[in-house]
Amino acid sequence: MDGKLRNMTSIYITNADKMLLLFRQGSRVANNVWIGSAGGHFEDFELNDARACVLRELEEELGLKENNIKNLSLRYVTLRQVKGEIRQNYYFFAELNNGVNECLSSDEGICKWFSFSELAALDMPFTAKYVIEHYLNVGHKTNDVYGGVADGETVVFTKMPY
């Protein structure tokens, strides 16, 4: 391991009992899988501000601004070693504001709303699948932030102390 890092962020937007996901197409990291509503790599000026990164990606990919969502919060930070680099993922969750059009599109792929009960059956990146599973079983009932470390077979989550 030579210390290479890949910092990424993702936002999952909910509306009642549905979650917006993106079927990412044409990406070199996550391609032809369902991922968060929007997300991507940090710009140099965002390395210490995951919130700024996710808000930029939200506007670039979905055309949504911060005032189109509510309850934006960082809920998960995961680490996974892949191809000689450590991938750090920052997962945010938010709710779509009332009155904002649900018909969203992205030039990164296909946007689609899924009921929470449909999410487990979708093909997702490794850590994202475990984040969604944990969120549906535990995370949505709390305001806690969880750290997750991938061991190749699963992701082990720990509640981060305040």
Side-chain angles (χ1 to χ4, degrees), residues 39-126:
H41 295 88
F42 283 61
E43 299 293 341
D44 289 345
F45 61 90
E46 296 167 333
L47 286 179
N48 292 317
D49 193 349
R51 181 184 175 92
C53 179
V54 82
L55 288 172
R56 176 185 54 76
E57 293 285 356
L58 182 67
E59 187 168 356
E60 286 178 5
E61 294 183 13
L62 293 175
L64 294 176
K65 296 189 181 290
E66 186 173 6
N67 64 359
N68 297 130
I69 58 173
K70 61 186 174 189
N71 300 324
L72 175 66
S73 62
L74 175 64
R75 300 300 309 283
Y76 293 88
V77 179
T78 62
L79 298 172
R80 181 178 180 215
Q81 188 168 302
V82 178
K83 298 178 183 175
E85 64 186 12
I86 294 177
R87 295 185 180 176
Q88 300 175 148
N89 288 279
Y90 298 82
Y91 294 93
F92 287 81
F93 286 77
E95 300 166 53
L96 191 67
N97 277 336
N98 292 333
V100 176
N101 190 344
E102 280 190 8
C103 296
L104 298 166
S105 63
S106 172
D107 58 5
E108 303 278 334
I110 301 163
C111 294
K112 183 175 177 184
W113 290 96
F114 291 94
S115 68
F116 289 166
S117 63
E118 295 175 291
L119 297 176
L122 299 175
D123 188 22
M124 296 181 188
F126 186 81

